[in-house]
Amino acid sequence: MLDQFLLGLSVVLQPHVLIYAFFGVFLGQLIGVLPGVGAITAISLLLPVTFYLDATTSMILLAGIYYGSQYGGSIASILLNLPGTPSSVVTCLEGYPLAQSDRAGLALFVAAFSSFIGGMVGVAILVLAAIPMTVVALKFGAPEYAMLVILGLLAASMIGTGSQIRSFAMVLLGIALGLVGADATTGYYRFVAMPELADGISLVSLAMGLFGVSEVIRNASRRPAANAAPLIIKMRDVIPTRAQAKSLAFPIVRGSSIGSFFGALPGTGAAIASFMAYAMEKRFSKTPMKFGKGHLPGLAAPESANNAASQTGFIPTLTLGVPGDAVMALIIGALILNGIIPGPRLMVDQPELFWGVIASFFVGNIILLLINIPLIRLWVLLLRIPYQKLYPMIIIMICVGVYSHRTSVTDVLLTLAFGILGYLMKNYRFEPAPVLLGFVLGPLLEDNFRRTMLLYGGDFTIFVTRPISAVLVVCSALMIVWAVWSSLSHRRIPAPSSP
Amino acid sequence: MATVKDHGGQSKAARAVSGGVLLMAGFVMLFFAWGYPTGTVNQMGAGFIPQVIAILICLFAIAIIVIDLRAPQWVDAGGMHWRGLTFVSAAIILFALLVDVAGLVPSMFLAVAVSMFADDQARPLLVLIYTVIATFLGWLLFLVGLELPIPAFWR
């Protein structure tokens, strides 16, 4: 294990790879700071760029944006009470009161440090889990894959925000969009309304439309009601006192464990992990009345949780090729566009890529800790850029990115159509993230389901007679029971959507 | 319990519209998928999964309509952003129509200029200045930096 990790480090520490790792986390941090531009928008904007890079560097770049944005997201939450990413919504609860009482420096330091610990715990668990998971995953046949995808899609719609029925309907819509084009098994053209759709809908169009264009439409005229961020942060009192540090140790440990767990589950991600960590911290605290008024453990736990989750989220993505949330779906999509089939063979066939990406998380978290607090002036300055100066650039990045992907004007127009769809969906309380997940996982589900039926003569009992598949069936059933039970008792935790 | 007058003045049609559109999409999908070869469970044809998905979409759409009609209160979606919708759409359509004919620089210029009016406080002079800067940055990024194979101007 250590050998492989060192192999990965040797890949990352090559200068031309390291520069992309740095660029990725820097961009992620920046994107996280800017309210209104999420990791998913940034990654879809950069998808076309990755066609010019090799698979390893593009993975390192895109993954860096993802976990980098978790660090950046907390800055806007603490200083402006505006969460930069969905997973930093709870950071506002304790972070903003701290900033108001003149302890912004302390809050930023605690957030960055617990993020770092959480991230490192996540990376460690990823390294430990990678080989055993791959061993299990190599035993996966078509029935297991089909059930795993079903479990992931169920989890994504059951645990997210809003109505489970609405989310699942959106998963189905995503699967439907994924069906467009030639059938992979027989080559039969399905839903090809115009010749340009013969190759299917492009992931770039769908992601940029649903997440990029729709947000621009919504926010073009929006001006933040909140006052501008303070330009000067008092840098004294940044380091917590010994007593404060002591009170943070267990919340960080608890947050990291909760985060690692929820990150590794398919369908749940950093946002849910941070909510769970905060709720848990509050429930088991001896002083629950301190929460909401700038209580440091309430800041440290969710911050470590969301970073741990954003690292362990790569366990299913890298070992099984099954993305846990919409961001991971995009990263998987980037791999596929680079001609690499994600799955358990990845570690065996491409150890440099596999371990290089994992080692880049280790390096990336260190870089993030180093650029976070020292460059705080820069991040605060970025917070002052009005959205009105950003969105025209986003529009041309979307247009040029989509157009250059397949040199297709139709794709650009489709992106607009998906943008309007995404905008209307949100107005009617439908989340766009499940659509993307369904779109990426749909073909995987269809392929494995059809292959299972073919291999086992149309016998549905195969799903419960194979042991791994049976476990997945039980998990899916429990998920449905839990969803029905919780919607009947109306006690769902109001968590935000995955990014 | 939900009574009719609790719906905040929303008519039944307005509350059912999102589920209704989804139901329609499901029917359209089913209509086309019906013609595809279904095959057997053992050896599925190209139409099997699309038909199943279309039927599931219809079922979920019906469930959503029922839930929305019975909901005790209407969750306000917030007004439509007509200005943003119009100008962003116009900008992207302009880009799409022009990029093949006029090249990257003019189409980026127009797309930025038009999209900036999506902001209700846009001022023509500022828009012009910013558009020139943004187009220059775009040229620098896409044609100089990434060397995309798109002609800058009329070919």
Side-chain angles (χ1 to χ4, degrees):
Chain A
M1 196 186 320
L2 199 63
D3 291 352
Q4 285 95 329
F5 186 68
L6 290 177
L7 166 75
L9 270 185
S10 73
V11 172
V12 181
L13 294 178
Q14 292 165 281
H16 71 279
V17 181
L18 197 59
I19 195 92
Y20 280 103
F22 179 80
F23 184 58
V25 293
F26 187 84
L27 205 65
Q29 164 97 30
L30 197 154
I31 291 297
V33 172
L34 295 173
V37 189
I40 201 158
T41 318
I43 291 177
S44 39
L45 284 174
L46 277 185
L47 264 188
V49 177
T50 61
F51 305 146
Y52 301 92
L53 303 173
D54 67 277
T56 312
T57 39
S58 49
M59 277 290 279
I60 288 176
L61 176 70
L62 296 182
I65 294 175
Y66 177 50
Y67 61 84
S69 71
Q70 308 290 349
Y71 278 78
S74 52
I75 296 181
S77 297
I78 291 170
L79 295 180
L80 285 185
N81 206 16
L82 277 177
T85 54
S87 54
S88 47
V89 171
V90 276
T91 307
C92 293
L93 298 177
E94 304 300 333
Y96 189 60
L98 278 168
Q100 279 181 315
S101 58
D102 223 18
R103 285 180 292 169
L106 176 66
L108 289 168
F109 180 85
V110 168
F113 189 74
S114 16
S115 295
F116 175 73
I117 301 285
M120 281 304 188
V121 170
V123 174
I125 291 178
L126 173 58
V127 172
L128 290 175
I131 293 176
M133 271 304 285
T134 305
V135 170
V136 175
L138 283 169
K139 293 201 180 96
F140 272 40
E144 283 79 16
Y145 267 107
M147 275 323 295
L148 185 71
V149 170
I150 290 177
L151 176 65
L153 291 175
L154 276 174
S157 40
M158 297 304 167
I159 309 179
T161 41
S163 144
Q164 290 131 334
I165 290 185
R166 279 167 184 262
S167 299
F168 201 73
M170 290 302 101
V171 167
L172 291 170
L173 185 68
I175 298 178
L177 292 172
L179 290 171
V180 175
D183 169 25
T185 320
T186 60
Y188 192 91
Y189 283 120
R190 299 186 289 196
F191 307 109
V192 180
M194 23 184 180
E196 288 87 352
L197 285 179
D199 291 336
I201 292 170
S202 128
L203 174 69
V204 181
S205 283
L206 184 69
M208 285 201 184
L210 284 182
F211 297 96
V213 175
S214 65
E215 287 305 306
V216 174
I217 292 174
R218 186 179 313 283
N219 296 326
S221 288
R222 192 204 60 181
R223 288 192 159 61
N227 37 349
L231 254 187
I232 292 138
I233 309 272
K234 277 187 199 145
M235 274 298 140
R236 60 181 182 83
D237 309 330
V238 163
I239 311 289
T241 64
R242 188 174 288 268
Q244 279 169 331
K246 227 173 166 181
S247 76
L248 292 179
F250 281 110
I252 290 178
V253 170
R254 281 191 291 264
S256 307
S257 342
I258 293 169
S260 303
F261 177 74
F262 281 101
L265 278 190
T268 55
I272 289 152
S274 64
F275 264 85
M276 290 290 182
Y278 185 76
M280 201 81 109
E281 208 51 49
K282 197 171 175 181
R283 179 170 299 179
F284 291 108
S285 170
K286 287 186 195 103
T287 53
M289 57 284 188
K290 280 189 184 165
F291 281 78
K293 294 169 194 150
H295 192 43
L296 281 175
L299 176 67
E303 272 302 313
S304 51
N306 63 26
N307 285 275
S310 61
Q311 302 298 350
T312 55
F314 283 92
I315 295 176
T317 309
L318 287 174
T319 60
L320 296 162
V322 174
D325 61 24
V327 180
M328 293 293 169
L330 271 181
I331 291 177
I332 289 273
L335 262 186
I336 295 172
L337 290 172
N338 261 303
I340 286 178
I341 309 300
R345 299 293 312 170
L346 190 66
M347 183 201 272
V348 185
D349 297 341
Q350 308 233 348
E352 285 88 9
L353 188 157
F354 187 91
W355 292 103
V357 170
I358 291 182
S360 84
F361 301 161
F362 178 77
V363 177
N365 272 293
I366 296 174
I367 298 175
L368 279 165
L369 185 69
L370 294 180
I371 63 175
N372 200 295
I373 295 294
L375 292 185
I376 190 68
R377 295 263 151 80
L378 174 66
W379 312 126
V380 173
L381 215 59
L382 281 172
L383 276 178
R384 299 172 76 94
I385 298 179
Y387 188 69
Q388 282 69 24
K389 293 283 168 290
L390 281 177
Y391 80 77
M393 287 307 286
I394 296 178
I395 294 266
I396 55 171
M397 295 217 28
I398 290 172
C399 287
V400 179
V402 171
Y403 176 75
S404 66
H405 176 205
R406 303 202 290 201
T407 331
S408 157
V409 168
T410 316
D411 278 358
V412 180
L413 294 173
L414 267 179
T415 308
L416 174 61
F418 289 129
I420 296 172
L421 176 74
Y423 171 76
L424 292 174
M425 275 168 52
K426 264 247 166 101
N427 272 7
Y428 287 98
R429 292 173 290 134
F430 288 97
E431 285 298 326
V435 179
L436 197 62
L437 206 56
F439 180 80
V440 173
L441 288 177
L444 201 63
L445 174 63
E446 182 183 15
D447 183 37
N448 284 294
F449 189 71
R450 278 166 78 172
R451 204 179 311 159
T452 309
M453 289 296 111
L454 192 64
L455 286 172
Y456 301 98
D459 179 12
F460 279 95
T461 56
I462 190 67
F463 289 114
V464 285
T465 48
R466 286 172 67 105
I468 299 177
S469 168
V471 171
L472 295 170
V473 171
V474 171
C475 290
S476 304
L478 286 177
M479 191 84 77
I480 295 173
V481 170
W482 177 76
V484 171
W485 176 79
S486 69
S487 68
L488 287 180
S489 59
H490 289 291
R491 281 193 304 181
R492 297 188 67 207
I493 299 162
S497 62
S498 46
Chain B
M1 281 307 290
T3 55
V4 182
K5 61 177 183 234
D6 287 337
H7 292 296
Q10 289 273 348
S11 71
K12 273 205 163 69
R15 272 179 284 132
V17 68
S18 60
V21 170
L22 191 65
L23 184 61
M24 225 154 64
F27 275 132
V28 170
M29 189 181 166
L30 194 60
F31 175 79
F32 285 108
W34 212 246
Y36 301 158
T38 312
T40 59
V41 175
N42 194 343
Q43 193 132 28
M44 287 179 199
F48 195 98
I49 300 284
Q51 286 159 17
V52 172
I53 297 291
I55 291 168
L56 282 174
I57 288 182
C58 292
L59 291 178
F60 272 83
I62 292 168
I64 288 169
I65 293 174
V66 171
I67 291 171
D68 281 354
L69 285 180
R70 290 183 39 166
Q73 80 271 348
W74 172 257
V75 184
D76 188 30
M80 289 284 289
H81 301 76
W82 288 113
R83 198 182 168 107
L85 198 58
T86 313
F87 284 99
V88 170
S89 304
I92 295 177
I93 292 172
L94 265 178
F95 179 90
L97 293 179
L98 284 176
V99 68
D100 271 347
V101 223
L104 191 61
V105 172
S107 43
M108 278 199 307
F109 184 88
L110 276 174
V112 173
V114 171
S115 76
M116 286 201 74
F117 284 98
D119 171 18
D120 53 12
Q121 295 177 16
R123 299 278 171 278
L125 185 66
L126 287 177
V127 167
L128 186 68
I129 296 171
Y130 186 77
T131 305
V132 172
I133 298 172
T135 311
F136 175 73
L137 289 177
W139 172 77
L140 210 62
L141 174 65
F142 296 118
L143 293 179
V144 179
L146 295 172
E147 295 177 6
L148 294 185
I150 309 173
F153 287 100
W154 296 259
R155 53 194 93 193

